[in-house]
Amino acid sequence: MIPGAILNLGGTEFTVPPINLRIDFDYKDAIAVLCEPEGNVDFRVYVEAASNVLFALVKRNYPDLTRDQFNDLIDLPMLRPIINGMLHISGYVGRPLEPAATGSASPSPEPASSDSSTPLLDGSPTTSSNV
């Protein structure tokens, strides 16, 4: 079982892993749709992209799950919050809606630290590598 987010879908708990490189490459157009700000994409286009990506993620741990079974588990109001969570744990981060003002002072760099690890966000996997 690949670690990931635990979702209760239809009364059953599913462990949904983050996006891997295969899904990122195979579903790059769908992921681009999902990364658009809400309201910039037609709802039907978003639903198709989100359901395709989420189904691919679920299949990583549940290869015998059929598309019909999956479609019965997901209610439309759940789709956007689930996808936002999956994008977050997969390392996709939100960008500011407005660019930074030009000529503004840039923040001072943080003091040097001997710790080369990156702090984890809540819900992030707990393993890391210092390569």
Side-chain angles (χ1 to χ4, degrees), residues 105-109:
S106 45
S108 300

Side-chain angles (χ1 to χ4, degrees), residues 2 4 15 24-26 58-60 62 68-69 75 81 91 100 103-104 107 112 117-118:
I2 303 166
T15 301
D24 184 68
F25 291 137
D26 290 350
V58 172
K59 291 284 282 188
R60 292 182 67 200
Y62 306 93
D68 284 340
Q69 291 168 327
D75 294 327
S104 63
S117 64
T118 303

Side-chain angles (χ1 to χ4, degrees), residues 22-73:
R22 177 174 306 282
I23 291 173
D24 184 68
F25 291 137
D26 290 350
Y27 293 90
K28 65 182 176 216
D29 293 337
I31 291 172
V33 166
L34 301 178
C35 291
E36 283 290 324
E38 189 173 344
N40 280 11
V41 177
D42 179 71
F43 181 69
R44 296 302 318 154
V45 172
Y46 178 88
V47 168
E48 182 177 356
S51 65
N52 288 339
V53 169
L54 187 56
F55 181 60
L57 293 175
V58 172
K59 291 284 282 188
R60 292 182 67 200
N61 277 341
Y62 306 93
D64 296 332
L65 185 72
T66 67
R67 186 60 191 236
D68 284 340
Q69 291 168 327
F70 172 80
N71 287 347
D72 287 339
L73 294 173

Side-chain angles (χ1 to χ4, degrees), residues 56-115:
L57 293 175
V58 172
K59 291 284 282 188
R60 292 182 67 200
N61 277 341
Y62 306 93
D64 296 332
L65 185 72
T66 67
R67 186 60 191 236
D68 284 340
Q69 291 168 327
F70 172 80
N71 287 347
D72 287 339
L73 294 173
I74 306 293
D75 294 327
L76 281 179
M78 296 170 44
L79 192 56
R80 190 174 302 274
I82 290 171
I83 285 296
N84 287 343
M86 296 314 301
L87 289 171
H88 180 77
I89 70 167
S90 298
Y92 293 87
V93 294
R95 292 177 284 177
L97 295 177
E98 296 180 14
T102 57
S104 63
S106 45
S108 300
E110 291 185 30
S113 168
S114 62
D115 181 7

